[in-house]
Amino acid sequence: MTMSFQLSDAEMKFFEENGYVGPFTLFEPEEMTEIWQQIRMDILDTDAAPFPNSKLNYDRHLDLLQLNQIFTNPKLTDRVASILGPDVLGWRSEWFPKYPGDEATDWHQAESFVEFEGTEKIEPTAAEEGKPWELTAWIAMSDATRANGCLKVMPGTHHTWYFDEKRNIPFEPENINQLNTVGKKSGFFGYDWDRLKLDETWVPDEEKAVHMEVKAGQFFLFTSRCMHGSNPNSTTDSTRFGWATRFVPTHVKVYANQDSFQHFGETLNLDRYSTVLVKGKDSYKHNRVRLPMQTGEQQGSNGQAVLKDEDALV
Ligand SMILES: O=C(O)CCC(=O)C(=O)O
Ligand SMILES: [Fe+2]
């Protein structure tokens, strides 16, 4: 397979050692800002969305062409495939806005995306020792700075679990943007990730954090096993808009045997849900899979072509 934007050997080595790599440029800031202005309007109409009545607004790459084109852009997917292997599915996209005054995002680690309800959202069927089987590309739709709470990572932590992502914890929206028990304004959008700590007394060493300051239109890659979070937005006038796009190799089962899942107090019905083949082919056939949208194709969650046996992407 020829890929134009694969990671260099040095970038691969950096990722293996640190659990993240980047930033890379998808769009120049002016172009991203223009695209984002359009997207911000488009995402308000959720009729054709995969989860039409959800405030979370997950997976809008399934119905909006502009987001689908970003999700399947080779600048992103070639680099993702360098790490995950040649056959890749996109399984989730999520908004991470941080408005002026918003609290910090707790340090956390994930892999199966159990996300507090005890059910694994993704499960590998052919995992290889030491090789990641999930990857996130965090795309900045606006500038992300230290002041407005850019993502921060703790290099090298992807080899060690500091949290148990499989423990169930309650959703407590009343705690959002409130001071927590140690007087810190931090949380995970209504969940308290500190309750998942393996050692309650352990405190992450903030000195070792790397703050991923990026311009609008840039992105970086990380495995969610690499501890990450963000500081509060301490500005009065700058919102950082992140769009996290998530990928797995085709051997991973996505939402296996699930018709719906619970998250942030909502029940999300998977009727309209599908993964998207963003690279290579799908020989495993574990999942519902669609092809990237074509320009001019009918938009909407059911508008994308469904994968046929002969389909493969380069
Ligand atoms: O943007 C943030 O504050 C959190 C993002 C995050 O945790 C993720 O993309 O997995
Ligand atoms: Fe995360």
Side-chain angles (χ1 to χ4, degrees):
M1 180 188 308
T2 49
M3 297 200 293
S4 322
F5 300 103
Q6 69 260 56
L7 296 179
S8 67
D9 290 347
E11 287 165 341
M12 288 291 286
K13 186 160 180 287
F14 185 92
F15 175 82
E16 277 152 28
E17 282 170 14
N18 294 286
Y20 73 97
V21 64
F24 306 101
T25 298
L26 202 51
F27 300 109
E28 292 307 317
E30 305 71 42
E31 197 182 358
M32 183 79 261
T33 304
E34 210 170 292
I35 295 172
W36 173 231
Q37 275 166 6
Q38 183 61 47
I39 292 172
R40 274 186 94 166
M41 303 303 290
D42 291 348
I43 55 175
L44 297 177
D45 179 355
T46 62
D47 279 358
F51 305 107
N53 301 311
S54 163
K55 289 197 286 291
L56 298 171
N57 230 345
Y58 281 172
D59 300 334
R60 295 304 302 273
H61 62 274
L62 288 176
D63 70 298
L64 294 175
L65 178 65
Q66 258 176 333
L67 288 173
N68 194 276
Q69 285 176 337
I70 297 174
F71 198 78
T72 59
N73 187 316
K75 289 184 182 171
L76 208 78
T77 58
D78 282 2
R79 290 176 170 117
V80 169
S82 301
I83 293 169
L84 295 183
D87 303 316
V88 181
L89 300 173
W91 75 277
R92 159 88 63 90
S93 64
E94 286 176 56
W95 302 105
F96 286 104
K98 202 179 280 283
Y99 297 96
D102 272 0
E103 67 182 5
T105 306
D106 287 342
W107 283 111
H108 62 284
Q109 290 178 297
E111 185 170 49
S112 307
F113 288 77
V114 170
E115 296 180 319
F116 325 118
E117 59 145 346
T119 314
E120 294 170 11
K121 309 298 182 300
I122 52 175
E123 277 173 69
T125 65
E128 287 168 49
E129 184 65 32
K131 196 170 170 210
W133 47 266
E134 53 67 42
L135 200 68
T136 292
W138 196 101
I139 306 167
M141 299 265 168
S142 65
D143 292 352
T145 63
R146 271 187 85 145
N148 72 12
C150 64
L151 200 86
K152 59 184 182 182
V153 293
M154 201 65 97
T157 49
H158 55 308
H159 298 305
T160 312
W161 284 108
Y162 296 88
F163 299 91
D164 174 6
E165 68 161 333
K166 300 196 177 168
R167 230 178 257 167
N168 291 18
I169 47 171
F171 179 55
E172 299 166 320
E174 63 281 9
N175 292 345
I176 295 174
N177 287 333
Q178 303 303 311
L179 295 183
N180 66 13
T181 46
V182 289
K184 242 182 76 188
K185 212 170 141 189
S186 180
F188 194 85
F189 316 101
Y191 292 95
D192 177 2
W193 204 285
D194 279 6
R195 292 198 208 171
L196 301 179
K197 272 186 187 175
L198 292 175
D199 171 1
E200 270 175 46
T201 62
W202 162 82
V203 182
D205 182 355
E206 294 286 341
E207 302 267 297
K208 298 207 170 104
V210 173
H211 297 264
M212 301 300 291
E213 292 199 291
V214 280
K215 291 265 166 232
Q218 289 191 305
F219 72 95
F220 49 87
L221 304 174
F222 64 98
T223 155
S224 290
R225 286 180 64 134
C226 180
M227 202 161 75
H228 59 286
S230 56
N231 288 351
N233 183 338
S234 56
T235 72
T236 52
D237 58 356
S238 166
T239 300
R240 66 93 159 154
F241 291 103
W243 193 46
T245 55
R246 309 207 196 270
F247 302 90
V248 290
T250 47
H251 70 75
V252 172
K253 288 186 179 174
V254 182
Y255 300 116
N257 307 315
Q258 296 167 49
D259 300 327
S260 65
F261 65 97
Q262 315 284 323
H263 209 189
F264 297 102
E266 295 188 8
T267 300
L268 301 180
N269 184 309
L270 289 163
D271 278 359
R272 291 183 174 186
Y273 175 80
S274 172
T275 64
V276 178
L277 185 70
V278 300
K279 214 81 210 157
K281 59 187 184 329
D282 174 29
S283 314
Y284 287 93
K285 310 216 181 300
H286 290 321
N287 300 298
R288 242 185 278 168
V289 179
R290 289 187 206 155
L291 291 171
M293 264 184 211
Q294 303 299 316
T295 309
E297 190 170 352
Q298 179 204 344
Q299 291 189 47
S301 284
N302 299 317
Q304 256 167 286
V306 175
L307 187 76
K308 293 194 243 11
D309 276 355
E310 63 278 16
D311 287 327
L313 305 171
V314 289

